[in-house]
Amino acid sequence: GVLPGSISVAPTGVFDVSGAASTFTLGSGQSLTVGGATPANDVVGNLATSTGSTLNIMSGVGTVGTLTSSGSFALNGGTVNFDLSNIANSGNDTVNIGGALDITGPTTIAINRISGSLANGSYVLVQGVGAVTGNVLDLTTTGLISGATRQTFALSTTTVTDALTLDVSGQAADL
């Protein structure tokens, strides 16, 4: 069956979709807020986004955490929200998956800068096991630039093995 509307999983809870035929796909207008299960997986099974869906890590915008999944993850559309700090390698939302990442449809990567400008470096957004498939050009970002800046931002599937990263370079100061 299809689960309607918003799905929120408590930080200590598990969203078990292993009974789905192959992959649980968030439908249009549906949102999933999940992350923070320790040490278990937050999601058991394969997960996919679709046009009009939203994925929130932890309790949503403004709360940093990690979503851990035992399966694969497909970006098929919709929006995935990431909270990022001014330190590239800590204090950021991340999705860790036990399978491969597949980029198969136009998906928005919405960035919420929680502590000012982003630092130079690579922010690991999704870390998988196995090669990333699909085209990073299917991804767009929002929330990165407020006014003119000397920084450049690029999504990449080649900077870190088996991962989707946001690579930041340049000066954070306004022009």
Side-chain angles (χ1 to χ4, degrees):
V2 175
L3 298 173
S6 297
I7 304 165
S8 292
V9 180
T12 57
V14 175
F15 188 55
D16 188 344
V17 294
S18 60
S22 63
T23 299
F24 178 83
T25 301
L26 290 170
S28 180
Q30 203 171 35
S31 67
L32 173 62
T33 302
V34 64
T38 306
N41 289 309
D42 301 299
V43 177
V44 176
N46 300 321
L47 182 64
T49 62
S50 70
T51 302
S53 68
T54 303
L55 178 62
N56 298 304
I57 301 164
M58 290 297 285
S59 61
V61 175
T63 305
V64 174
T66 299
L67 185 161
T68 305
S69 174
S70 66
S72 63
F73 185 41
L75 296 174
N76 254 347
T79 300
V80 182
N81 292 306
F82 287 93
D83 293 321
L84 301 181
S85 73
N86 58 359
I87 302 170
N89 61 359
S90 82
N92 302 298
D93 281 346
T94 305
V95 177
N96 289 328
I97 54 177
L101 172 63
D102 187 19
I103 303 168
T104 56
T107 303
T108 300
I109 305 298
I111 305 298
N112 177 41
R113 297 173 296 151
I114 59 171
S115 52
S117 297
L118 299 181
N120 287 340
S122 295
Y123 288 77
V124 176
L125 302 178
V126 181
Q127 178 67 62
V129 176
V132 177
T133 59
N135 192 339
V136 74
L137 296 177
D138 280 334
L139 305 176
T140 57
T141 57
T142 61
L144 286 173
I145 300 173
S146 61
T149 179
R150 296 177 181 157
Q151 285 185 301
T152 59
F153 307 96
L155 292 170
S156 173
T157 57
T158 59
T159 304
V160 175
T161 302
D162 303 333
L164 170 66
T165 60
L166 174 66
D167 298 335
V168 180
S169 62
Q171 296 294 321
D174 288 340
L175 292 174

